[in-house]
Amino acid sequence: MIRALVVAVLAAVVAAPAAQAAGSPLDMTDGFYVDPQSNPAVWVRDHPQDGRQAAIKANISSKPIARWFGSWSGDIRSAVSGHVGGTGSKLPVLVAYNIPGRDACGGHSGGGAGSPSAYRSWISAFAAGIGNRPAVVVVEPDSLADFNCMDSGQIAERTAMIKYATEQFKAKAPNTWVYLDAGNAQWVPAGTMAGRLDAAGVRDVRGFAVNVSNYHTTAASVTYANAVSGALPGGGKPFVIDTSRNGNGHNGEWCNPGGRKLGTVARTGGGAEMLLWVKVPGDSDGRCGKAPGVDAGQFDPQLAFDLVYGY
């Protein structure tokens, strides 16, 4: 009887999954990953004779830039796993961009998963694709700021999807630092955004991101993010800032404006937990501004070249 009990206990121990260790992805890696398959890097390889190639190579494609994932990524678990698994000792930055009704007000980047249930399956597989490996993930740019074109039911539905995402990353990607997107310095009042982040489960992840795909200065973004953090119930959270195109600040336009410039290259600190190039420099914001014929997310070498020099 006792022998049988011992055997049963040992069997249960063997069958139980090993506990997942939660660690700092910064401590587990050696610097940020430079993606050889980024849109600028591919363009640089394919256009060696272009007069803009050297400047784009030296200033953009050789720098750490986030990889965005959405419906175009195919099987999301395989896509994420393959990317994270190929970064070696470097820290990859990923963006999850597939929320249903994406870019509801802006319209240029519309799309996303076909239903809330489809999104839940997608984001669960995204988290599983990372697993125990170190990574940084920015979750759904604009999703908690873009409420003006949504009714109360749609807002509640979206908030629930983001909260589900936080739960999945917490359970399946313990060595990933996840940041919920929190808009930018001039979009949503800090107190309002803090309430939205809290409802969306920011307590279950590392923190939040500001200025993704926008142009506000790092100083303005730090001020705003500190105000958001201070307004969060229960105390503040860390934040990251997208500095990919904020070198000349914001001029009141958000869609391919002229006169903008590259900002600080990815680093820790700088007034935030990290400064990151989240938006890919040279990728269009949509058919607007300086690139009226370039779809959102498509690389335009002239946009990239102009960002190098602030044209």
Side-chain angles (χ1 to χ4, degrees):
M1 179 74 175
I2 294 176
R3 182 176 181 276
L5 181 60
V6 170
V7 170
V9 169
L10 289 175
V13 170
V14 171
Q20 294 178 318
S24 162
L26 292 175
D27 293 339
M28 298 170 71
T29 53
D30 178 27
F32 295 101
Y33 178 64
V34 177
D35 186 359
Q37 299 304 318
S38 71
N39 286 346
V42 171
W43 183 88
V44 162
R45 283 199 300 272
D46 290 347
H47 297 84
Q49 304 305 316
D50 192 293
R52 300 164 294 188
Q53 193 257 18
I56 294 173
K57 181 178 182 180
N59 295 282
I60 298 177
S61 69
S62 60
K63 310 302 182 186
I65 306 171
R67 171 82 69 90
W68 292 56
F69 292 83
S71 58
W72 60 86
S73 303
D75 180 85
I76 190 61
R77 180 167 182 166
S78 296
V80 167
S81 181
H83 179 60
V84 175
T87 59
S89 64
K90 301 299 182 181
L91 178 62
V93 179
L94 298 79
V95 181
Y97 196 52
N98 200 36
I99 200 80
R102 192 177 61 211
D103 197 18
C105 296
H108 291 287
S109 299
S115 68
S117 62
Y119 182 74
R120 286 184 173 88
S121 296
W122 186 87
I123 201 68
S124 177
F126 190 119
I130 298 175
N132 287 336
R133 293 170 294 192
V136 167
V137 177
V138 175
V139 173
E140 302 300 339
D142 299 347
S143 61
L144 295 177
D146 199 25
F147 279 5
N148 289 344
C149 299
M150 303 169 65
D151 62 33
S152 58
Q154 292 170 325
I155 290 170
E157 187 174 70
R158 173 170 290 185
T159 301
M161 284 187 278
I162 300 297
K163 192 170 191 307
Y164 179 82
T166 68
E167 295 164 355
Q168 292 302 298
F169 282 109
K170 183 178 182 181
K172 297 180 178 180
N175 296 313
T176 292
W177 278 358
V178 173
Y179 301 88
L180 303 187
D181 187 77
N184 63 64
Q186 292 183 357
W187 197 348
V188 178
T192 301
M193 179 52 70
R196 294 179 185 181
L197 287 167
D198 187 58
V202 74
R203 293 290 154 199
D204 282 333
V205 295
R206 181 67 181 179
F208 60 94
V210 300
N211 204 49
V212 173
S213 298
N214 218 286
Y215 303 87
H216 295 281
T217 64
T218 300
S221 298
V222 167
T223 297
Y224 175 71
N226 277 328
V228 172
S229 182
L232 284 169
K237 295 286 281 186
F239 57 86
V240 298
I241 299 171
D242 184 357
T243 56
S244 59
R245 306 183 300 179
N246 74 346
N248 278 348
H250 182 63
N251 71 345
E253 302 174 22
W254 66 269
C255 203
N256 299 325
R260 302 310 92 200
K261 195 173 185 179
L262 300 171
T264 302
V265 176
R267 56 160 290 187
T268 57
E273 184 153 66
M274 290 176 278
L275 306 180
L276 303 171
W277 282 14
V278 182
K279 174 73 173 184
V280 179
D283 277 11
S284 175
D285 294 320
R287 290 177 172 265
C288 51
K290 296 179 65 178
V294 185
D295 288 330
Q298 299 302 305
F299 181 76
D300 182 85
Q302 194 61 45
L303 285 176
F305 184 78
D306 289 355
L307 284 169
V308 174
Y309 297 104
Y311 297 156

